[in-house]
Short mmCIF file of all heavy atoms in Angstrom, two decimals:
data_model
loop_
_atom_site.label_atom_id
_atom_site.label_comp_id
_atom_site.label_asym_id
_atom_site.label_seq_id
_atom_site.Cartn_x
_atom_site.Cartn_y
_atom_site.Cartn_z
N ARG A 886 19.08 0.09 4.68
CA ARG A 886 18.99 -1.32 4.30
C ARG A 886 17.67 -1.92 4.77
O ARG A 886 17.03 -2.70 4.04
CB ARG A 886 20.17 -2.08 4.89
CG ARG A 886 21.50 -1.81 4.18
CD ARG A 886 22.66 -2.45 4.92
NE ARG A 886 23.91 -2.37 4.16
CZ ARG A 886 25.11 -2.60 4.67
NH1 ARG A 886 25.23 -2.93 5.95
NH2 ARG A 886 26.19 -2.50 3.93
N ARG A 887 17.24 -1.59 5.98
CA ARG A 887 15.98 -2.13 6.50
C ARG A 887 14.81 -1.63 5.67
O ARG A 887 13.89 -2.39 5.35
CB ARG A 887 15.80 -1.72 7.97
CG ARG A 887 16.76 -2.39 8.93
CD ARG A 887 16.41 -2.04 10.37
NE ARG A 887 15.11 -2.61 10.73
CZ ARG A 887 14.19 -1.97 11.43
NH1 ARG A 887 14.40 -0.73 11.83
NH2 ARG A 887 13.05 -2.56 11.72
N LEU A 888 14.82 -0.35 5.34
CA LEU A 888 13.71 0.22 4.56
C LEU A 888 13.63 -0.40 3.18
O LEU A 888 12.55 -0.72 2.68
CB LEU A 888 13.87 1.74 4.46
CG LEU A 888 13.61 2.53 5.74
CD1 LEU A 888 14.11 3.96 5.59
CD2 LEU A 888 12.12 2.52 6.09
N ILE A 889 14.79 -0.56 2.53
CA ILE A 889 14.79 -1.15 1.19
C ILE A 889 14.34 -2.60 1.24
O ILE A 889 13.55 -3.06 0.39
CB ILE A 889 16.17 -1.00 0.53
CG1 ILE A 889 16.45 0.48 0.22
CG2 ILE A 889 16.27 -1.85 -0.72
CD1 ILE A 889 17.82 0.74 -0.36
N ALA A 890 14.83 -3.34 2.23
CA ALA A 890 14.41 -4.74 2.35
C ALA A 890 12.91 -4.83 2.60
O ALA A 890 12.22 -5.69 2.02
CB ALA A 890 15.18 -5.41 3.49
N LEU A 891 12.39 -3.94 3.43
CA LEU A 891 10.95 -3.93 3.70
C LEU A 891 10.17 -3.59 2.43
O LEU A 891 9.16 -4.24 2.12
CB LEU A 891 10.64 -2.91 4.80
CG LEU A 891 9.16 -2.73 5.17
CD1 LEU A 891 8.59 -4.02 5.75
CD2 LEU A 891 9.00 -1.58 6.15
N ARG A 892 10.65 -2.62 1.70
CA ARG A 892 9.96 -2.23 0.47
C ARG A 892 9.95 -3.38 -0.53
O ARG A 892 8.93 -3.67 -1.15
CB ARG A 892 10.65 -1.00 -0.14
CG ARG A 892 10.00 -0.50 -1.41
CD ARG A 892 10.75 0.66 -2.05
NE ARG A 892 10.04 1.12 -3.23
CZ ARG A 892 9.11 2.06 -3.24
NH1 ARG A 892 8.78 2.66 -2.11
NH2 ARG A 892 8.49 2.39 -4.36
N ARG A 893 11.08 -4.04 -0.69
CA ARG A 893 11.17 -5.12 -1.67
C ARG A 893 10.32 -6.32 -1.26
O ARG A 893 9.87 -7.10 -2.12
CB ARG A 893 12.62 -5.52 -1.87
CG ARG A 893 13.46 -4.41 -2.48
CD ARG A 893 14.88 -4.84 -2.82
NE ARG A 893 14.91 -5.79 -3.92
CZ ARG A 893 16.02 -6.15 -4.56
NH1 ARG A 893 17.18 -5.62 -4.20
NH2 ARG A 893 15.98 -7.02 -5.54
N ALA A 894 10.07 -6.47 0.05
CA ALA A 894 9.28 -7.60 0.52
C ALA A 894 7.79 -7.29 0.61
O ALA A 894 6.99 -8.20 0.86
CB ALA A 894 9.79 -8.04 1.90
N SER A 895 7.40 -6.04 0.38
CA SER A 895 6.02 -5.61 0.66
C SER A 895 5.38 -5.02 -0.58
O SER A 895 5.56 -3.83 -0.89
CB SER A 895 6.02 -4.57 1.79
OG SER A 895 6.66 -5.08 2.93
N PRO A 896 4.58 -5.79 -1.31
CA PRO A 896 3.92 -5.26 -2.51
C PRO A 896 3.04 -4.05 -2.23
O PRO A 896 2.87 -3.21 -3.11
CB PRO A 896 3.08 -6.45 -2.99
CG PRO A 896 3.73 -7.66 -2.40
CD PRO A 896 4.30 -7.22 -1.09
N VAL A 897 2.48 -3.94 -1.02
CA VAL A 897 1.61 -2.81 -0.73
C VAL A 897 2.36 -1.49 -0.76
O VAL A 897 1.77 -0.43 -0.96
CB VAL A 897 0.91 -3.01 0.63
CG1 VAL A 897 1.89 -2.80 1.79
CG2 VAL A 897 -0.30 -2.08 0.78
N LEU A 898 3.70 -1.55 -0.61
CA LEU A 898 4.50 -0.33 -0.62
C LEU A 898 5.01 0.04 -2.01
O LEU A 898 5.67 1.07 -2.17
CB LEU A 898 5.71 -0.50 0.33
CG LEU A 898 5.37 -0.75 1.80
CD1 LEU A 898 6.65 -0.99 2.60
CD2 LEU A 898 4.59 0.43 2.38
N ARG A 899 4.73 -0.77 -3.01
CA ARG A 899 5.24 -0.50 -4.36
C ARG A 899 4.19 -0.92 -5.39
O ARG A 899 4.47 -1.69 -6.30
CB ARG A 899 6.57 -1.20 -4.59
CG ARG A 899 6.61 -2.65 -4.13
CD ARG A 899 7.99 -3.28 -4.30
NE ARG A 899 8.02 -4.61 -3.71
CZ ARG A 899 7.56 -5.71 -4.29
NH1 ARG A 899 7.05 -5.65 -5.51
NH2 ARG A 899 7.63 -6.87 -3.67
N GLN A 900 3.02 -0.36 -5.26
CA GLN A 900 1.89 -0.78 -6.09
C GLN A 900 1.98 -0.23 -7.51
O GLN A 900 2.46 0.88 -7.74
CB GLN A 900 0.59 -0.33 -5.44
CG GLN A 900 0.37 -0.94 -4.07
CD GLN A 900 -1.08 -0.95 -3.67
OE1 GLN A 900 -1.97 -1.23 -4.46
NE2 GLN A 900 -1.33 -0.65 -2.41
N ARG A 901 1.48 -1.03 -8.45
CA ARG A 901 1.42 -0.61 -9.85
C ARG A 901 0.23 0.30 -10.13
O ARG A 901 0.27 1.11 -11.05
CB ARG A 901 1.28 -1.84 -10.76
CG ARG A 901 2.56 -2.59 -11.02
CD ARG A 901 2.30 -3.75 -11.96
NE ARG A 901 1.63 -3.33 -13.18
CZ ARG A 901 2.25 -2.87 -14.27
NH1 ARG A 901 3.57 -2.75 -14.26
NH2 ARG A 901 1.57 -2.54 -15.35
N ALA A 902 -0.84 0.13 -9.36
CA ALA A 902 -2.08 0.88 -9.62
C ALA A 902 -2.22 2.01 -8.61
O ALA A 902 -1.74 1.92 -7.47
CB ALA A 902 -3.28 -0.05 -9.53
N PHE A 903 -2.88 3.06 -9.05
CA PHE A 903 -3.17 4.15 -8.12
C PHE A 903 -4.23 3.69 -7.11
O PHE A 903 -5.13 2.90 -7.43
CB PHE A 903 -3.67 5.39 -8.87
CG PHE A 903 -2.59 6.13 -9.58
CD1 PHE A 903 -2.50 6.11 -10.97
CD2 PHE A 903 -1.64 6.86 -8.87
CE1 PHE A 903 -1.50 6.79 -11.63
CE2 PHE A 903 -0.64 7.55 -9.52
CZ PHE A 903 -0.56 7.52 -10.90
N PHE A 904 -4.12 4.20 -5.90
CA PHE A 904 -5.14 3.92 -4.88
C PHE A 904 -6.46 4.57 -5.29
O PHE A 904 -6.50 5.58 -5.99
CB PHE A 904 -4.69 4.49 -3.53
CG PHE A 904 -3.44 3.85 -2.99
CD1 PHE A 904 -2.20 4.47 -3.16
CD2 PHE A 904 -3.49 2.66 -2.31
CE1 PHE A 904 -1.04 3.91 -2.66
CE2 PHE A 904 -2.33 2.07 -1.80
CZ PHE A 904 -1.10 2.70 -1.98
N GLU A 905 -7.55 3.98 -4.80
CA GLU A 905 -8.88 4.51 -5.12
C GLU A 905 -9.58 5.12 -3.92
O GLU A 905 -10.58 5.81 -4.06
CB GLU A 905 -9.75 3.39 -5.72
CG GLU A 905 -9.20 2.89 -7.05
CD GLU A 905 -10.07 1.80 -7.66
OE1 GLU A 905 -11.08 1.41 -7.01
OE2 GLU A 905 -9.74 1.34 -8.76
N GLY A 906 -9.08 4.84 -2.70
CA GLY A 906 -9.68 5.43 -1.52
C GLY A 906 -11.09 4.94 -1.27
O GLY A 906 -11.91 5.65 -0.68
N ARG A 907 -11.39 3.73 -1.68
CA ARG A 907 -12.74 3.17 -1.48
C ARG A 907 -12.62 1.79 -0.86
O ARG A 907 -11.54 1.17 -0.86
CB ARG A 907 -13.50 3.09 -2.79
CG ARG A 907 -12.87 2.20 -3.83
CD ARG A 907 -13.72 2.11 -5.09
NE ARG A 907 -13.10 1.27 -6.10
CZ ARG A 907 -13.18 -0.06 -6.12
NH1 ARG A 907 -13.85 -0.70 -5.18
NH2 ARG A 907 -12.60 -0.75 -7.09
N ALA A 908 -13.71 1.29 -0.34
CA ALA A 908 -13.72 -0.01 0.31
C ALA A 908 -13.37 -1.11 -0.69
O ALA A 908 -13.95 -1.18 -1.77
CB ALA A 908 -15.08 -0.28 0.94
N VAL A 909 -12.44 -1.94 -0.32
CA VAL A 909 -12.04 -3.05 -1.19
C VAL A 909 -12.20 -4.39 -0.47
O VAL A 909 -11.87 -5.42 -1.02
CB VAL A 909 -10.57 -2.88 -1.66
CG1 VAL A 909 -10.45 -1.69 -2.59
CG2 VAL A 909 -9.64 -2.74 -0.47
N ASN A 910 -12.68 -4.34 0.76
CA ASN A 910 -12.87 -5.56 1.53
C ASN A 910 -14.27 -5.56 2.14
O ASN A 910 -14.89 -4.51 2.33
CB ASN A 910 -11.82 -5.67 2.64
CG ASN A 910 -10.43 -5.86 2.09
OD1 ASN A 910 -10.08 -6.94 1.60
ND2 ASN A 910 -9.61 -4.81 2.14
N ALA A 911 -14.76 -6.75 2.46
CA ALA A 911 -16.12 -6.89 2.98
C ALA A 911 -16.31 -6.15 4.30
O ALA A 911 -17.43 -5.75 4.64
CB ALA A 911 -16.47 -8.37 3.15
N ASP A 912 -15.21 -5.96 5.06
CA ASP A 912 -15.34 -5.27 6.34
C ASP A 912 -15.38 -3.76 6.20
O ASP A 912 -15.45 -3.03 7.19
CB ASP A 912 -14.21 -5.68 7.29
CG ASP A 912 -12.82 -5.40 6.70
OD1 ASP A 912 -12.72 -4.66 5.70
OD2 ASP A 912 -11.84 -5.93 7.24
N GLY A 913 -15.32 -3.26 4.94
CA GLY A 913 -15.43 -1.82 4.70
C GLY A 913 -14.11 -1.08 4.69
O GLY A 913 -14.10 0.14 4.48
N CYS A 914 -13.00 -1.77 4.92
CA CYS A 914 -11.70 -1.09 4.90
C CYS A 914 -11.36 -0.63 3.48
O CYS A 914 -11.53 -1.38 2.51
CB CYS A 914 -10.61 -2.03 5.41
SG CYS A 914 -10.61 -2.23 7.19
N LYS A 915 -10.84 0.55 3.37
CA LYS A 915 -10.44 1.12 2.08
C LYS A 915 -9.01 0.69 1.76
O LYS A 915 -8.23 0.35 2.65
CB LYS A 915 -10.52 2.64 2.14
CG LYS A 915 -11.90 3.18 2.48
CD LYS A 915 -11.83 4.70 2.66
CE LYS A 915 -13.19 5.26 3.06
NZ LYS A 915 -13.14 6.72 3.31
N ASP A 916 -8.69 0.74 0.48
CA ASP A 916 -7.30 0.44 0.11
C ASP A 916 -6.36 1.52 0.65
O ASP A 916 -5.20 1.26 0.95
CB ASP A 916 -7.15 0.29 -1.40
CG ASP A 916 -7.52 1.54 -2.18
OD1 ASP A 916 -8.20 2.43 -1.62
OD2 ASP A 916 -7.13 1.64 -3.37
N LEU A 917 -6.89 2.74 0.79
CA LEU A 917 -6.10 3.85 1.30
C LEU A 917 -7.00 4.71 2.17
O LEU A 917 -8.11 5.09 1.75
CB LEU A 917 -5.55 4.70 0.13
CG LEU A 917 -4.91 6.04 0.49
CD1 LEU A 917 -3.59 5.83 1.23
CD2 LEU A 917 -4.68 6.86 -0.79
N ALA A 918 -6.55 5.03 3.36
CA ALA A 918 -7.32 5.90 4.24
C ALA A 918 -6.37 6.83 4.98
O ALA A 918 -5.23 6.47 5.27
CB ALA A 918 -8.14 5.08 5.24
N TRP A 919 -6.88 8.03 5.27
CA TRP A 919 -6.07 9.07 5.93
C TRP A 919 -6.67 9.37 7.29
O TRP A 919 -7.87 9.57 7.42
CB TRP A 919 -6.04 10.34 5.08
CG TRP A 919 -5.49 10.11 3.70
CD1 TRP A 919 -6.20 9.94 2.54
CD2 TRP A 919 -4.12 10.02 3.33
NE1 TRP A 919 -5.36 9.74 1.48
CE2 TRP A 919 -4.06 9.79 1.93
CE3 TRP A 919 -2.92 10.10 4.04
CZ2 TRP A 919 -2.87 9.65 1.24
CZ3 TRP A 919 -1.72 9.96 3.36
CH2 TRP A 919 -1.70 9.74 1.98
N PHE A 920 -5.80 9.45 8.30
CA PHE A 920 -6.28 9.63 9.66
C PHE A 920 -5.69 10.87 10.34
O PHE A 920 -4.51 11.20 10.15
CB PHE A 920 -5.96 8.38 10.49
CG PHE A 920 -6.83 7.21 10.14
CD1 PHE A 920 -6.41 6.28 9.20
CD2 PHE A 920 -8.07 7.05 10.73
CE1 PHE A 920 -7.22 5.20 8.85
CE2 PHE A 920 -8.90 6.00 10.39
CZ PHE A 920 -8.47 5.06 9.45
#
C-alpha cells in the first residue's frame, strides 16, 4: 500500500518519456544517473 501510494503521488516514478541520461538542470544534474 505504501509503495503504490508513493508511486501514484510521484510523477518521477511513472514517467511517460524515456530518460535521456543528460543534464536537464542548470546545476548539471541529469534526469537519470547511476552510482
